[in-house]
Amino acid sequence: MIDRLNRGNKAMLRTGLLGTIAFALSLTAAPAQMNHQHASEAACDESVLRCASKVTPTFAPDGTLWLAWMAGGQVSVASSKDGGHSFSAPVQATKEHLNLDWGPDARPKIVVDRKGGIALAFSVFRDKAFNGQVLTTRSTDGGKSFDALRPITSSNESQRFEALGLDPDGSVFAAWLDKRNRVPAEQSGQKYDGAGLFFASSKDGGATYSEARLASDNTCECCRLGLAFAAPGHPVVVFRNIFDGGVRDHAIVTFADPATPGEVRRVSKDDWQIAACPHHGPSLAISATGTYHVTWYTNGKARKGLFYDRSQDEGRTFSDPIPVGRADRNPTRPYILAGPRGMTMVWKEFDGEKTTVNLMTSRDDGQSWSKPTAVAATTDTSDHPLLVSDGQNTFLSWMTKADGYRIQPIGDGS
Amino acid sequence: MTRHLLAGVFLVGLLLSATASEAPQQMKPFVRGSWQDVLRSHAGRPTLVHFWGVTCGPCKVELPLLGKFMTDHAGIDVVTISADLVPDLPGATRSMLEKAGLWPAENWTFSDGFVERLRFEIDPAWQGDIPRTILISRDGTMTTIEGSAEMKELEKWSDQQLAVKR
């Protein structure tokens, strides 16, 4: 297991010594400061990796591991040529301290294309009403510098929960949740639920995006999206929809091409009728066989907990959902990846004191799964566990407040 | 001398009581153990506990309705708990409560970064979806409403509670 803490740890130690002196000099200020740190999801307030609350990994086509993270109101990147043992000096993609979207399902997104170009996207809160805005930027010099931030769309209505993916055709595809249709609906006296699933794509590595278009309206407004590609030019998005009667079950849409969304199809009938923000989005992977693999959380009448199912006909029909994790350990935050040796799934469980990341694998395209095993643990707050592959191995990527960032190779379940 | 001392004590007492009555109400930090504090301090009284967050769309719709419910039902204790981890934004939380007429309620805000543990203490099965309301009867029976509550449902529960003799 590789468990790497970055240079920020040394900075923390130094700060700790200085902090001791400061504590002796200013006893009155200490409780507020300590309370602030205790209350935060982050270990510290700087922009370094050690202070990150959310870290997103990706492998570039040349095998370089890239991380994008949010910390101290900034989005930064760093890379590793040795699988996460050491990282380059971080580079801030943002210039000013931003009110970054701190929702549980928000995180910066990063893709690296075949030319080494880096596209980033993330959300900020742009006003006191917590309306969001999706911002993008790119680097054409190997992550040494980033262009000025640009909104992904000219609309001034709220946008959040962007997903960003490198289409095998070389373009960058983006989808997000957008509330622009709320205004005309309310002006005409109609009730508007949720948000629209909007999308755009970029043919210049994330410098500019096509005009935003609607894929599906009235979807759940507060959960992350799952994005994968069925083939070049065929993005697939899974999302928590709002079906008739306010049922927030999952749906999937396969694009005929990057500008043409297909039919919205239901992933499962959980019957979770709720007027609430679950803050708990799905995960999607598509294996080389073309099988769709979906994992999600529900608290519906038909089933409660984490579930997995698969489709071999582009989402027209899905297998019976199978439960994931121990129901008495509060399983959450599932993530699934189609790797070089099969499927891998991770999720969190919590026993009242400790959070573990649990893992299971499948070598028959999701028909059967290995027994779950705990592969990492922490005793304070943590980011969602993510999986990433360099084409040869699969890694767990997990940021924790107490133990820092880890990128950990995982077995293939054999 | 004694008279002056007594007068001084009286004056200090007056000042202190004035300060206490005029002191701005604050959000209470909800940390490990706070849930048991809430349960203890309202034991024997019908209590509505509402979990919400500043970025939650359905919460924005429901909060003013709860504010009116509180005004109309003086016999019900109303407790709000902001279950969003709101970094450095106590003003936004307070502003929404004030607009909804809920600032006079007993208001808490999650103040421990380890939110999984806070939620686990309240309900081990709760994954963080908001809004969420827990109705606590005089006898301690708890009823959880996931998502926005129907005001008719709250009215019915309130009527039942207030009909029960203390």
Side-chain angles (χ1 to χ4, degrees), chain A residues 191 193-194 217-221 239-251 264 266-276 278 296-303:
Chain A
K191 188 171 176 256
D193 287 329
D217 212 352
N218 301 116
T219 73
C220 182
E221 66 271 49
F239 56 99
R240 192 184 293 281
N241 198 15
I242 305 180
F243 289 99
D244 286 348
V247 172
R248 298 198 184 216
D249 288 354
H250 286 87
V264 172
R266 193 164 187 155
V267 173
S268 75
K269 289 188 178 175
D270 305 328
D271 198 12
W272 192 11
Q273 184 181 35
I274 187 169
W296 72 95
Y297 167 73
T298 184
N299 197 25
K301 285 179 193 149
R303 59 185 63 85

Side-chain angles (χ1 to χ4, degrees), chain A residues 107 109 111 121-123 134-136 152-153 159-166 172-178 180 196-202 209-216 219 223-229 235-239 253 255 258 261:
Chain A
R107 67 174 54 256
K109 311 300 184 312
V111 299
F122 55 90
S123 298
V134 176
L135 298 174
T136 67
I152 201 164
T153 171
Q159 314 123 26
R160 292 176 73 192
F161 303 107
E162 74 290 340
L164 202 65
L166 182 64
V172 176
F173 182 83
W176 67 91
L177 300 178
D178 190 311
R180 72 182 68 188
L197 172 65
F198 275 71
F199 66 95
S201 59
S202 172
Y209 286 82
S210 60
E211 191 173 338
R213 295 182 61 189
L214 179 70
S216 183
T219 73
C223 291
R224 75 180 180 193
L225 307 173
L227 168 65
F229 295 88
V236 183
V237 179
V238 63
F239 56 99
V253 57
F255 284 66

Side-chain angles (χ1 to χ4, degrees), chain A residues 36 38-41 102 125 129-130 160 274-278 280 297 299 330-332 348 350 352-353 355 379-381, chain B residues 32 54-58 60 84-85 87-89 92 111-114 116-117 120 124 126-131 146-148:
Chain A
H36 167 68
H38 180 65
S40 172
E41 287 181 290
W102 38 259
F125 291 123
F130 298 96
R160 292 176 73 192
I274 187 169
C277 287
H280 207 150
Y297 167 73
N299 197 25
N330 212 9
T332 57
K348 295 206 282 193
F350 184 63
E353 293 292 337
T355 300
T379 53
D380 203 336
T381 194
Chain B
R32 203 172 186 187
V54 292
T55 68
C56 155
K60 289 178 186 174
D84 264 347
L85 260 189
D88 305 322
L89 290 169
S111 300
D112 182 336
F114 202 2
E116 290 98 329
R117 195 169 58 192
F120 191 90
W126 180 30
Q127 305 249 346
D129 48 274
I130 46 177
E146 294 172 346
S148 301

